[in-house]
Amino acid sequence: MKDKKKKSKLLKIVMGSSSGIVIMSMIIIIPCLMVLDFFGANITDNYVENNMDYADMYKETLNKAIKNGYGYVPLNRILYFYLEDDKLSFYDIYIDNISKDDNKLLAISDVCSLPRYKIYDVCKNVDTSDQIDEEQNKPFFPPIDFSKTTITSFFMEERIVFGNADVHSAWDLASGNNTLVKATCDGIVKKVSFPYSENVTDTSGGGGNTIVFECPIDDEITYTVTYAHLYPNSSKVKTGDSVKSGDELAGVGTTGYSTGPHLHYQVQLNGSNVDGMSLIDFSDKQPIYNPGLNLPNPNPNFNINYGDKKIP
């Protein structure tokens, strides 16, 4: 029971205006952060810090689920349940958190209504959790054919590349050289930079060949999307071009600071990096519901090490 309590999910503390509430909040939050540090994960701002211990398990789960046609579930949602009961497999939690109707991430209150999860302490305090409890807007088209892709690094992953530690600001989507990458949203091409005429790694080359475009979603929201490490001479657009979701932009390469052919897919909002995978609409690739997929299964053993350097 003691270990189980230690692994309970940190609840989001909403600060009040009075000093008494603030003080009580700090009293609660500091021990909770110490607990999560002990187990190697701090859950904050919808991503997980100190995630290296979970990275391989999560990438294996991601690749299996998305190639099977399921939508996207972030690591912080999986750990919300796993940190309370590590007998649950990542894959089972992943599938349970996807809507069978539209392939989106389920509201946390809906997941906590399932018999498997309603008994957990984290589901008894769901109203104060930091988990999404509403339907999400999914304005993006997939930037690449995920059936031909292996996710080798996720947003905010802590990793080591070429002997250097970093926190990844984007997604790495590995595929064969010249695999087509497509516009993930309607927008305007702001930059096309293809300094590399050979498809080679350059550890001082940053993002290598890149395309940057801006996508206004409404009057208030405009995303900036960067595709990096692109194949030489593969660009199908130029600066100033208008693009539509699904338009072909270029091919996958390994130019610049890259360990192999892959698409570096990075999204920013108002200058800050955001989780680009959480914006992708997976509804056109819904899996056939098979209850057998939700039976308990052991966590897989694997090792993936692939990535790139943070780029401007």
Side-chain angles (χ1 to χ4, degrees), residues 49-168:
E49 296 178 349
N50 303 327
N51 56 52
M52 192 171 287
D53 289 345
Y54 303 101
D56 285 348
M57 192 183 303
Y58 181 53
K59 284 183 286 190
E60 177 73 6
T61 299
L62 268 174
N63 282 299
K64 179 179 178 181
I66 289 180
K67 287 182 179 180
N68 282 340
Y70 290 95
Y72 170 60
V73 178
L75 177 58
N76 76 326
R77 174 62 69 85
I78 293 177
L79 289 181
Y80 188 77
F81 298 104
Y82 183 80
L83 288 176
E84 176 155 336
D85 184 359
D86 59 11
K87 294 183 177 62
L88 296 171
S89 80
F90 267 38
Y91 190 74
D92 289 338
I93 298 172
Y94 195 108
I95 302 308
D96 286 342
N97 277 269
I98 289 291
S99 168
K100 306 304 184 295
D101 296 325
D102 57 17
N103 221 13
K104 292 181 180 180
L105 180 70
L106 283 168
I108 188 64
S109 57
D110 290 336
V111 181
C112 280
S113 69
L114 299 174
R116 176 182 290 189
Y117 301 106
K118 63 193 305 181
I119 62 173
Y120 293 130
D121 289 341
V122 291
C123 283
K124 296 174 184 176
N125 300 289
V126 68
D127 290 341
T128 56
S129 79
D130 63 355
Q131 297 296 308
I132 294 172
D133 202 31
E134 58 188 12
E135 184 175 351
Q136 305 162 79
N137 185 28
K138 300 287 186 178
F140 278 16
F141 183 88
I144 196 169
D145 183 348
F146 282 105
S147 69
K148 301 177 181 177
T149 302
T150 299
I151 297 168
T152 53
S153 184
F154 56 88
F155 179 66
M156 300 306 289
E157 178 183 355
E158 297 180 2
R159 59 193 189 154
I160 297 179
V161 181
F162 292 126
N164 300 314
D166 75 355
V167 178
H168 199 205

Side-chain angles (χ1 to χ4, degrees), residues 141 143 181-187 227 236-237 242-250:
F141 183 88
V181 298
K182 301 179 179 182
T184 198
C185 43
D186 298 349
Y227 291 174
K236 300 177 181 294
V237 295
S242 296
V243 293
K244 294 290 186 182
S245 295
D247 284 355
E248 297 176 359
L249 298 186

Side-chain angles (χ1 to χ4, degrees), residues 42 77 268:
N42 288 340
R77 174 62 69 85
Q268 294 181 311

